[in-house]
Amino acid sequence: MLTWLYTARALGVLDWGVSLVPEEHAGAGVMLAIMISMAPALFLWKLWTRWVERKLDIKGKYYEDDFYKEDLKNNKK
């Protein structure tokens, strides 16, 4: 993920984001450029983790499962 960010920086994506906004909002332009450039990396990361979980047959128990289980029981009544 960091490699993706450094690649975007080397390609000038962050400078492009700064050039789109007024000078007093340069920080917002950089943040917008980071979000736009990292979106494909986050999507690829999601695909990678889902593939690994499927390949290794990982079945996790998440905090939300127990938290919302009570709500589901109450709603069925």
Side-chain angles (χ1 to χ4, degrees):
M1 299 270 294
L2 278 176
T3 305
W4 194 279
L5 181 62
Y6 284 123
T7 303
R9 184 177 177 192
L11 292 174
V13 174
L14 303 182
D15 296 330
W16 167 78
V18 171
S19 69
L20 293 177
V21 297
E23 187 175 327
E24 59 270 5
H25 298 294
V30 170
M31 185 56 66
L32 184 62
I34 290 172
M35 291 185 330
I36 290 170
S37 65
M38 291 302 287
L42 293 172
F43 178 70
L44 292 173
W45 180 258
K46 179 186 79 160
L47 292 177
W48 167 256
T49 56
R50 287 185 181 181
W51 179 81
V52 167
E53 288 175 355
R54 193 172 53 248
K55 193 73 170 169
L56 298 177
D57 198 30
I58 297 173
K59 306 249 189 274
K61 182 176 179 183
Y62 299 100
Y63 173 75
E64 294 85 7
D65 294 342
D66 290 336
F67 185 78
Y68 292 112
K69 193 179 291 184
E70 291 297 323
D71 290 340
L72 292 174
K73 286 181 187 176
N74 293 336
N75 288 338
K76 289 183 181 179
K77 291 181 181 179

